[in-house]
Amino acid sequence: MSSRPKPNISGTAKEARKLAPTELLILALISHGHAPTLYALQKETLLSAGALVPALAKLNAKGLLHAEPLGPRKRQRFRVAKDVMKKNEEKWKSSAQDHIADCDAVLKLCKAAEIFNLPEAVEYARSAAEFRASERRKYTNKNGEIEAPELNPFSYRSYRDVARFYQLQAEEHTLRAVEAALKTDV
């Protein structure tokens, strides 16, 4: 009797088709010639090789990305098949709402959408900013004004609450700027 591991069947077929924000950004950058090598991807995304190499391997295994023969200086170039690009709008839409609370993911998805020329990116950036605005409304005082919570120097939880307030504020401001920029680009 062999004890083979059981296959992982926790995800649905739809979830299997979804791509992570980093994967969508990589596909967008490579497909439009912005970053066809690992080095160029590192420069453009500010991600380490340790983060990019597994994502590239996953995209290659899914058949979405192809590694070309080594070029000058032994640099590996990547390309995306044309038929893959036609499906990216659907992949972007199916992935976007799952990541609205993660600002870094929203920024990656907005950049990918800008490259793919998806008008939905403007509304997505607006939704992400509104999500943060609604989270900040939880910090409404007795006068109905949104303000940072009081800092209690003896409470770590207090530190976290203050940090969360300012993080939400900064992310909302950033996403409003991204929204404005996308309005002019898309």
Side-chain angles (χ1 to χ4, degrees), residues 19-34 59 64-65 80-96 107-122 182 185-186:
L19 293 174
T22 299
E23 294 170 336
L24 279 164
L25 180 59
I26 289 169
L27 285 175
L29 291 168
I30 291 172
S31 67
H32 285 74
H34 298 300
L59 290 169
L64 303 174
L65 184 72
V80 178
K82 290 186 192 300
D83 61 328
V84 169
M85 296 314 299
K86 294 175 189 172
K87 300 173 186 172
N88 277 318
E89 184 173 349
E90 177 187 322
K91 290 176 191 240
W92 184 89
K93 287 177 184 177
S94 69
S95 296
L107 295 174
K108 289 174 184 174
L109 288 164
C110 284
K111 182 59 183 174
E114 179 187 22
I115 293 169
F116 294 140
N117 198 26
L118 300 178
E120 294 90 351
V122 175
L182 287 171
D185 288 347
V186 177

Side-chain angles (χ1 to χ4, degrees), residues 38-55:
L38 178 61
Y39 177 73
L41 282 168
Q42 285 178 286
K43 272 183 70 176
E44 182 62 30
T45 63
L46 302 176
L47 294 171
S48 69
L52 288 168
V53 169

Side-chain angles (χ1 to χ4, degrees), residues 136-156:
R136 281 186 55 233
R137 282 192 276 283
K138 294 176 182 175
Y139 296 95
T140 303
N141 66 18
K142 293 176 186 174
N143 298 329
E145 300 165 341
I146 297 173
E147 69 177 6
E150 288 288 322
L151 182 65
N152 177 349
F154 303 109
S155 169
Y156 173 72

